[in-house]
Amino acid sequence: MSARNLVLVHGAWAGGWVWDSMLEPLREQGFNPVVVTLPGVGVLDKDAVVDLDTVTDHVVAVLDSLDGPALLVGHSGGGIVVSQVAERVPAAVAGIVYVAGMMLPSGMDFGMLCNELELPAPVGISRWVVSADDGFSSVVPPEAGAAVFFHEAPVADAIAAARQLVPQQETARLMAPTITPERFGTVARLYVECTLDRTVPIETQRGMQQRVPGASVVSLETDHAPQLSARAELVRAITEFAGDALSRTRRLEPVAVGSSS
């Protein structure tokens, strides 16, 4: 029997470390967690433009290296990446879990969603993001990260996580997926919403659920990073969904993926 693969994709300004505390619990449940660190974060090369195709290629290469299909887990902005991967290679993707993730309609970025929902700007962490003088990258100050991303975690964990945030290339952060019912729309999805999220507010999470229908939903009363603040609940949500998705042999009927407005 092939391994029960879970490919874990982080969001903006983060890295594979956001999943560290979940690896052993996932292994204990019989899964093979595979952590992805995306191009365009950390040490940046100004001669390399990282866009949605670049990060999609990176995750597809990870899938190609695995024995059998995988379930993708996308946290925050990593949701855009896993959506695009599912569009590219739907047969290799058993399902997708969005963790307070960007489950955006085709052609829509997060700013466009916030405008459509008529949310007052700036939304979430964007108020504190510091852009490089040349506009190539941006960073999140640790104190803002702790207060906006990790506020429900134990204080020591929140501070430690916020200090690990790194520069993000802007072209790797500001992305919109291109997805279709015939490909992405055949992949089973779970949305783990975080009701106390201060950066992807619950209004936006539910707005994405309405505009990209078809996902099951688990609601956690926690912040943007349940990996730290609601670990057991998040592990349970992922493993229950993954067990079913990885055992399924029949593709889903295509579902709509565009805006409902």
Side-chain angles (χ1 to χ4, degrees), residues 60 63 69-70 72 82-96 180-188 251-252:
V60 169
L63 292 180
L72 302 177
V82 297
S83 292
Q84 201 62 52
V85 171
E87 175 70 18
R88 175 90 63 86
V89 288
V93 179
I96 304 173
T180 63
E182 296 77 16
R183 298 181 68 81
F184 167 86
T186 65
V187 177
R251 304 301 292 172
L252 299 179

Side-chain angles (χ1 to χ4, degrees), residues 27-181:
R27 292 185 184 115
E28 289 173 354
Q29 295 296 317
F31 293 92
N32 174 40
V34 179
V35 176
V36 173
T37 298
L38 295 173
V41 295
V43 179
L44 304 179
D45 179 0
K46 290 194 175 183
D47 294 326
V49 175
V50 176
D51 57 15
L52 185 53
D53 283 339
T54 309
V55 292
T56 301
D57 289 346
H58 186 82
V59 178
V60 169
V62 172
L63 292 180
D64 288 344
S65 72
L66 299 176
D67 175 21
L71 184 131
L72 302 177
V73 184
H75 178 229
S76 191
I80 301 169
V81 181
V82 297
S83 292
Q84 201 62 52
V85 171
E87 175 70 18
R88 175 90 63 86
V89 288
V93 179
I96 304 173
V97 178
Y98 296 86
V99 180
M102 302 292 185
M103 189 175 69
L104 290 161
S106 191
M108 179 179 287
D109 64 29
F110 186 64
M112 294 164 65
L113 173 71
C114 293
N115 289 338
E116 191 170 280
L117 293 171
E118 298 182 344
L119 298 182
V123 175
I125 196 63
S126 57
R127 182 189 306 270
W128 292 279
V129 170
V130 178
S131 295
D133 290 342
D134 59 4
F136 179 78
S137 65
S138 61
V139 295
V140 173
E143 60 275 16
V148 177
F149 293 151
F150 311 118
H151 53 91
E152 295 298 305
V155 172
D157 291 348
I159 293 172
R163 287 175 176 167
Q164 293 186 79
L165 296 171
V166 292
Q168 176 89 20
Q169 188 170 323
E170 287 297 271
T171 54
R173 182 173 73 92
L174 303 175
M175 303 181 294
T178 301
I179 52 178
T180 63

